[in-house]
Amino acid sequence: MNATTLRPGERRAMPPWARLVITVGLLYVFLVAIKLMESSFKLMGGGSAGSLFQGIESPFAGVMVGVLGTVLVQSSSVTTATIVALVGSGQIGLTAAVPMIMGANIGTTVTNTLVSIGSVRRSGEFRRAFACATMHDFFNYLCVIVFLPLELATGFLSRTAVWLSGLLTSAGTQGASFKSPIKTAVKAGGKLVQEQVESVGLEGKTLAVTLLVLAIGLIFVCLHNITQQMKALLAARIEAGLNAALARSGLVGIAVGIVVTVAVQSSSITTSLLVPLCAAGILTLDNALPVTLGANIGTTVTALLASLAAESTAGLSIALVHVLFNLSGAVCFFPFPFMRRIPVTLARRLAVLATRNKLWILVYVGVMFVVVPLIGVFVIG
Amino acid sequence: MFKWLRGNQTGLEKIFADFGQMLEDGRHVFDAAANAIVGGTNPDTVKDDLYATDRRINRVEQEIRRAIVVHLTVADRADVPVCLALMSLVKDAERIGDYAKNMLEVAFYRPDFNHDGAVQHLVELKDRASRALAKMRNLVESQDETQARAFIADVDAMLSDCDDHVDRLLSSPDQGTHAVAEALTYRYIKRVLAHALNIVSAIVMPLDKLDYFDERPEDRE
């Protein structure tokens, strides 16, 4: 009888170089999809496409558009990439897009909240899991409460982002007319796909809608597969990082959050990994918070990547707003213990309530991620 | 670069390395305690080291449990059986440390086994058990099923030997303090070996049979 239980499971291992080649290919297709999205928005010219994001005047409604968009597609990467494409194509302005980016940050937290509900029948486990998940929600809501009024009053995020993007683009073209090879390759890819779609006789709005659907589909497929490939490639490193985060709080946790999220291109993956660890009681909320902050910072890389395909520097500016916003959140909350305690305490209290009465879960998720965003978009917006 | 991306060790490799260290520490504390009880070593000289090593065993056990949860969270489901087995086996490895402490406690009574060749038999048993613990560490690494079966047969014989001696002591009319110490020594060595057997049995047995290994010998075929 060959029944050993001490041997790791068999798996079909793809060579790491193959995974890297696939990932680079997927990244290219992702950028082409952003380009197609831009083209589609231009063809629509401010019409129906992206209508969820367009014509929003109130900053509060802008935040809620970001929340709702992300909750609907279950991916802040898709939302932020779409916002970059919209800003890059000139369909919405930078100022209007800033609250949307903030909203996307909030919307993405619904994923790990839903993950935590998986342990709802085991109260102790659920209390820890739900607190871990909602700590991210509260932190991102608090960041918006702090930085949105500040941005509206001073424009510190958008101004800094514009200044930085000017600096970066002028550094890239110093002394000569330099054309980014990535932009050139992406433009060629986008043009090729658009020509193929046009060749079947599509034009005008139909062409625009087709391109938009195709672009969104490609973005989903690419991001999903990049996540899978990178997770498989870096599983051991991710595991080592999480093991390090279990024992230590602080900058190590932030670094782990950034690295894992940049690697897998999804903050939801990172924060969802924390939920079972907290549920099992081996990761404390205090040690999970820095990883969550790191995940917030790491997820901004997607928008930066998307901006590589954007036509104008405005695309880069809004991507930089995302980076600056999440960096500001970490700098504002993390160094000060009393500030750090706010999201942790709020999450703990909500988890206690939700453990006592499960109706709280429904009320919380429904109000925060559905009702308020809907009111924001369709009543106030 | 690819090696850097993958890391020097996979999560499971690291867990196995830590488990191997636990087993090595287990053998170390067993040797120290057994030498104190039957080898003539002064128990006072090994006490601090033995207790420190046992604390390290306990700490590594907890680290391995945490690492298993992390591994199951990150890695694919193919590793679930081995992780569940390890979760059970670290307990066996930890118990070896506990029995070594029990043996040391007996050693502090300075038992006298100089009768009927008892000391010689215990010294031989101690040496065989120590070699078995060293072999257990190598088997966990090599996963050699043939060697594992040979190990099981050898340890089985030692377990029976321990039982026979305890039975003899129980039925002996001489019920002095030293008989109690001798019976306890056999009992503790037996428990150490039984935990070692449990660990090695995981190489040849399915997950559900762990811990019930010695109840149905036909399962071993």
Side-chain angles (χ1 to χ4, degrees):
Chain A
M1 182 169 66
N2 183 6
T4 180
T5 51
L6 263 194
R7 203 160 281 161
E10 297 287 327
R11 39 172 81 76
R12 285 169 291 163
M14 189 188 285
W17 63 264
R19 288 196 190 279
L20 261 190
V21 169
I22 291 172
T23 305
V24 171
L26 287 166
L27 268 176
Y28 175 71
V29 179
F30 168 73
L31 293 177
V32 168
I34 298 290
K35 190 87 222 156
L36 288 174
M37 198 181 256
E38 264 194 14
S39 306
S40 139
F41 289 143
K42 276 183 185 163
L43 284 166
M44 286 177 188
S48 55
S51 56
L52 180 64
F53 296 95
Q54 291 169 328
I56 298 292
E57 306 265 325
S58 149
F60 175 75
V63 172
M64 292 309 146
V65 162
V67 176
L68 199 63
T70 308
V71 169
L72 285 174
V73 295
Q74 284 281 297
S75 165
S76 67
S77 298
V78 174
T79 316
T80 53
T82 307
I83 294 168
V84 166
L86 279 163
V87 175
S89 63
Q91 298 302 307
I92 55 171
L94 183 65
T95 317
V98 174
M100 294 176 191
I101 283 283
M102 293 179 175
N105 242 34
I106 295 171
T108 195
T109 63
V110 76
T111 308
N112 63 347
T113 303
L114 296 177
V115 168
S116 73
I117 297 172
S119 53
V120 72
R121 286 174 188 274
R122 300 173 295 276
S123 58
E125 211 176 293
F126 171 72
R127 184 173 39 78
R128 292 189 291 268
F130 198 64
C132 174
T134 54
M135 176 180 70
H136 193 196
D137 311 0
F138 282 119
F139 177 79
N140 284 351
Y141 261 109
L142 286 166
C143 281
V144 173
I145 289 168
V146 171
F147 292 111
L148 183 61
L150 208 59
E151 165 66 10
L152 293 175
T154 66
F156 85 107
L157 287 173
S158 45
R159 280 169 195 262
T160 315
V162 168
W163 174 73
L164 272 175
S165 56
L167 209 66
L168 288 170
T169 45
S170 66
T173 57
Q174 231 170 18
S177 58
F178 171 78
K179 276 196 171 178
S180 158
I182 298 172
K183 262 193 182 155
T184 311
V186 169
K187 207 171 183 177
K191 198 177 165 193
L192 185 74
V193 175
Q194 192 170 338
E195 280 170 3
Q196 294 302 311
V197 177
E198 282 169 350
S199 70
V200 293
L202 298 178
E203 55 184 26
K205 295 253 171 184
T206 322
L207 174 66
V209 171
T210 309
L211 286 178
L212 184 67
V213 170
L214 184 65
I216 291 173
L218 284 174
I219 289 170
F220 266 114
V221 170
C222 289
L223 286 175
H224 174 76
N225 284 290
I226 288 169
T227 301
Q228 297 299 315
Q229 294 300 331
M230 292 304 284
K231 204 176 155 203
L233 187 62
L234 296 167
R237 291 250 169 229
I238 293 170
E239 209 174 321
L242 285 175
N243 275 317
L246 293 187
R248 274 160 282 180
S249 182
L251 294 174
V252 173
I254 293 183
V256 168
I258 293 174
V259 172
V260 173
T261 308
V262 168
V264 300
Q265 288 286 300
S266 165
S267 62
S268 297
I269 295 275
T270 310
T271 53
S272 297
L273 286 175
L274 301 180
V275 171
L277 301 182
C278 282
I282 63 169
L283 178 65
T284 61
L285 282 189
D286 292 331
N287 286 2
L289 181 67
V291 185
T292 304
L293 303 194
N296 266 359
I297 297 167
T299 197
T300 62
V301 166
T302 310
L304 282 174
L305 280 174
S307 74
L308 287 174
E311 193 78 29
S312 70
T313 54
L316 177 60
S317 298
I318 191 64
L320 286 170
V321 164
H322 197 197
V323 178
L324 291 169
F325 171 59
N326 280 321
L327 274 177
S328 306
V331 170
C332 174
F333 281 87
F334 185 69
F336 314 106
F338 68 96
M339 293 289 279
R340 273 204 303 266
R341 297 226 72 79
I342 300 171
V344 173
T345 307
L346 288 171
R348 275 207 182 108
R349 288 191 179 161
L350 178 66
V352 169
L353 288 175
T355 309
R356 281 192 201 139
N357 187 347
K358 303 293 183 281
L359 199 64
W360 275 99
I361 307 168
L362 200 66
V363 171
Y364 172 74
V365 175
V367 170
M368 297 295 251
F369 295 103
V370 183
V371 177
V372 173
L374 281 174
I375 291 171
V377 175
F378 296 106
V379 181
I380 299 169
Chain B
M1 182 181 78
F2 296 123
K3 195 174 176 186
W4 180 87
L5 282 172
R6 275 180 302 180
N8 296 327
Q9 267 179 325
T10 67
L12 206 55
E13 282 167 357
K14 169 80 170 66
I15 292 169
F16 266 104
D18 288 346
F19 184 52
Q21 184 58 52
M22 253 185 113
L23 299 180
E24 244 165 52
D25 283 342
R27 188 202 179 192
H28 174 70
V29 290
F30 173 79
D31 284 349
N35 283 329
I37 207 166
V38 294
T41 307
N42 182 352
D44 288 314
T45 60
V46 296
K47 187 184 169 195
D48 290 346
D49 175 51
L50 192 149
Y51 274 79
T53 310
D54 184 58
R55 281 195 295 273
R56 185 166 68 223
I57 290 173
N58 295 346
R59 197 189 64 234
V60 175
E61 182 195 18
Q62 291 168 36
E63 282 171 8
I64 289 176
R65 285 177 175 168
R66 286 195 291 267
I68 286 171
V69 177
V70 171
H71 184 71
L72 287 175
T73 307
V74 175
D76 62 42
R77 294 178 193 281
D79 287 339
V80 169
V82 68
C83 285
L84 291 176
L86 280 165
M87 202 63 130
S88 163
L89 299 185
V90 288
K91 190 73 209 158
D92 286 300
E94 187 268 334
R95 296 296 289 154
I96 291 174
D98 287 347
Y99 281 115
K101 278 194 300 189
N102 294 155
M103 286 167 75
L104 188 71
E105 283 159 14
V106 174
F108 276 112
Y109 288 95
R110 320 273 172 179
D112 178 14
F113 299 135
N114 287 313
H115 60 88
D116 305 328
V119 72
Q120 189 171 347
H121 186 265
L122 276 169
V123 167
E124 279 171 19
L125 181 66
K126 167 201 82 139
D127 290 343
R128 276 179 73 190
S130 177
R131 283 196 297 275
L133 293 181
K135 199 168 183 183
M136 165 184 68
R137 161 87 171 92
N138 295 334
L139 281 170
V140 167
E141 204 168 293
S142 71
Q143 310 259 323
D144 185 324
E145 291 184 35
T146 312
Q147 294 274 324
R149 286 180 201 284
F151 174 96
I152 289 164
D154 188 33
V155 171
D156 249 348
M158 284 192 270
L159 296 182
S160 302
D161 192 27
C162 290
D163 281 340
D164 291 346
H165 277 84
V166 173
D167 288 346
R168 177 182 57 78
L169 287 162
L170 282 170
S171 56
S172 162
D174 303 324
Q175 298 291 335
T177 320
H178 296 299
V180 176
E182 195 177 337
L184 283 175
T185 305
Y186 277 114
R187 175 71 187 160
Y188 292 151
I189 292 177
K190 186 197 164 184
R191 292 314 307 152
V192 167
L193 288 168
H195 285 294
L197 187 70
N198 215 23
I199 290 168
V200 172
S201 73
I203 297 169
V204 291
M205 299 287 288
L207 185 65
D208 60 325
K209 298 289 194 307
L210 295 179
D211 291 337
Y212 293 97
F213 179 71
D214 50 0
E215 290 186 7
R216 286 167 56 99
E218 63 270 24
D219 285 344
R220 305 174 197 177
E221 299 307 316

